[in-house]
Amino acid sequence: MSKIIFSGVQPTGNLHLGNYLGAIKNFVELNDDNENQCIFCVVDLHAITVKQDKHELKNNIRETAATFIASGIDTSKSIIFNQSEVHAHAEGSWMLSCMAPMGWLNRMTQFKEKAGKDKEKASVGLYIYPILMASDILLYDATHVPVGEDQKQHLELTRDIAQKFNKDFNCEDFLKVPEPLIKKKFSRIMSLKDGSKKMSKSDPSDLSRINLTDSKDEIVNKIKKAKTDSYPIPNEEIKLKDRPEAQNLLGIYSSISNQTLDKTLNEFGGKNFLDLKVQLAEILSNKISPITNEIKKLTNDKKYLDKILLDGASKAEEIAGQKIKEMKKIIGF
Ligand code: AQP
């Protein structure tokens, strides 16, 4: 059976190595398999759950689409569009909100982390973000959803919502229950400055992440300054326990080189971090720079990107619009 792949990335700027290794690199592999129907969404409605600058948002939408294409997603095979152009996402989100219990949402750890201590001031949108995400996925009958490890809980919620809708309305299998595609290894890339925090767009320190728009010099400098510990690199994975920064750098090296952690430990076991950092900066520059150059080229061609997004939205609208019609009928509208 062919797979229907759906995933999204927020146009919140500073797309980084975590987004690439945790999600976009997998999108490209899935896009390359002709058996798959892939739909990749620039989730701009999700972005506005926290305040955005209107001009930056527009540029970030284009830059996110450019990053998909520059990373290797082929627009003749996959649909790329932005969420706010397809009304069904917001409409579906409302209908699903009306059947998802608050207790389920109260368990979402990402809301707790993002809202922080000042929960009362967080937007309602941030709170119901996972329901919009469920709507995104379920409107396309997605069978598989490639995401980084941080989205695991939201995907479990999507599965629960689909099952509850089907049960409440006695419409078995109407909303397809999707499978998460989360890589077993290297699906959570950590900050270069603190191995206990995920690499993040919103970290105030630019040194904590490799942006996909960084120059070679910036990559070399950030890797040079990345936090490590004072022990040599071990040759067994078990000896990486309680060494989050070492784990992270070795994980990044393995993931970007498409090799196992064991192989990386064979290569670097017994050496010091300087050796690893020199090689890591080189391989990152070699892999990221062509993407960076292509992103720059594409973002200069706004017309081209707008056309890709418009064509994508019209294809997405056909699929999601039909599903929403059926959903409304089931509900009784
Ligand atoms: N550090 C990461 N490691 C692995 N995967 C990651 N992803 C994000 N960070 C890492 C994956 O990238 C995809 C798109 O993410 P997103 O744009 O929906 O969210 P985000 O990057 O987490 O961005 P935010 O929320 O705007 O900012 P921050 O990071 O500052 O909180 C997803 O598949 C995600 O799993």
Side-chain angles (χ1 to χ4, degrees):
M1 195 188 79
S2 68
K3 293 179 187 155
I4 302 175
I5 311 290
F6 182 95
S7 197
V9 174
Q10 296 187 70
T12 36
N14 294 335
L15 280 181
H16 53 69
L17 190 64
N19 298 126
Y20 180 70
L21 295 178
I24 300 170
K25 183 167 171 270
N26 305 335
F27 298 177
V28 177
E29 283 163 20
L30 291 159
N31 162 94
D32 290 346
D33 182 339
N34 287 329
E35 290 285 300
N36 296 334
Q37 185 196 346
C38 297
I39 305 158
F40 300 116
C41 186
V42 180
V43 285
D44 50 3
L45 294 174
H46 283 275
I48 62 161
T49 54
V50 292
K51 198 167 179 347
Q52 301 294 327
D53 173 272
K54 128 181 199 190
H55 303 290
E56 270 179 35
L57 180 62
K58 186 90 210 156
N59 287 335
N60 287 337
I61 291 169
R62 292 195 184 105
E63 191 173 288
T64 307
T67 305
F68 287 163
I69 302 166
S71 302
I73 292 170
D74 175 354
T75 54
S76 67
K77 279 161 78 180
S78 296
I79 299 175
I80 294 180
F81 73 106
N82 62 318
Q83 192 185 23
S84 62
E85 287 294 318
V86 179
H87 302 166
H89 290 247
E91 218 177 332
S93 174
W94 176 254
M95 291 185 235
L96 297 176
S97 300
C98 295
M99 53 229 33
M102 285 193 37
W104 289 2
L105 278 180
N106 287 340
R107 289 203 290 271
M108 297 298 114
T109 53
Q110 195 183 75
F111 175 75
K112 289 180 195 156
E113 281 161 20
K114 288 202 167 181
K117 287 191 202 111
D118 228 352
K119 197 164 92 202
E120 297 293 315
K121 286 197 183 147
S123 71
V124 176
L126 190 65
Y127 178 66
I128 60 167
Y129 172 117
I131 302 188
L132 177 59
M133 177 167 159
S135 170
D136 300 339
I137 296 165
L138 299 174
L139 285 174
Y140 297 89
D141 291 340
T143 58
H144 294 82
V145 184
V147 281
E149 212 264 338
D150 59 319
Q151 290 298 330
K152 190 167 178 237
Q153 195 185 32
H154 290 167
L155 264 178
E156 278 159 10
L157 183 79
T158 298
R159 292 169 56 87
D160 289 344
I161 290 176
Q163 278 160 340
K164 184 166 188 301
F165 185 97
N166 293 343
K167 190 158 169 270
D168 286 359
F169 292 99
N170 202 13
C171 53
E172 201 185 333
D173 214 28
F174 170 68
L175 292 180
K176 303 283 179 277
V177 181
E179 292 296 329
L181 282 181
I182 302 174
K183 294 259 177 192
K184 284 205 182 76
K185 294 255 178 189
F186 327 125
S187 57
R188 192 174 179 86
I189 304 298
M190 310 310 275
S191 155
L192 298 178
K193 288 277 144 205
D194 177 353
S196 67
K197 272 171 45 187
K198 82 162 185 154
M199 186 176 285
S200 156
K201 293 169 185 161
S202 58
D203 193 315
S205 167
D206 196 52
L207 289 175
S208 68
R209 64 181 162 262
I210 305 285
N211 301 306
L212 295 180
T213 47
D214 281 344
S215 66
K216 277 191 180 185
D217 287 349
E218 282 167 320
I219 294 176
V220 171
N221 183 42
K222 286 179 178 182
I223 294 297
K224 199 164 130 196
K225 293 197 167 142
K227 187 172 171 201
T228 52
D229 55 38
S230 48
Y231 307 101
I233 297 171
N235 35 29
E236 283 173 291
E237 189 176 343
I238 192 146
K239 294 191 181 145
L240 281 172
K241 200 170 167 277
D242 300 326
R243 298 181 62 186
E245 284 83 18
Q247 256 180 50
N248 192 36
L249 290 185
L250 289 157
I252 293 175
Y253 185 90
S254 309
S255 180
I256 198 87
S257 321
N258 290 319
Q259 67 182 33
T260 61
L261 183 59
D262 273 352
K263 182 148 191 282
T264 304
L265 290 172
N266 267 335
E267 237 174 285
F268 292 101
K271 295 187 179 165
N272 62 38
F273 282 102
L274 189 64
D275 297 311
L276 172 67
K277 284 182 167 184
V278 170
Q279 302 265 351
L280 179 58
E282 189 178 324
I283 190 158
L284 280 173
S285 306
N286 290 343
K287 298 262 176 164
I288 301 294
S289 293
I291 299 177
T292 310
N293 295 339
E294 194 58 22
I295 294 174
K296 283 194 184 132
K297 209 169 95 193
L298 288 166
T299 45
N300 280 331
D301 194 347
K302 291 185 182 152
K303 263 197 186 152
Y304 170 76
L305 290 174
D306 290 349
K307 180 161 182 340
I308 294 286
L309 287 168
L310 209 68
D311 289 351
S314 117
K315 288 179 195 153
E317 172 66 41
E318 251 177 64
I319 307 169
Q322 183 55 36
K323 192 76 180 178
I324 218 72
K325 260 194 205 155
E326 291 166 29
M327 208 165 149
K328 282 174 153 176
K329 213 162 142 196
I330 288 173
I331 289 178
F333 290 146

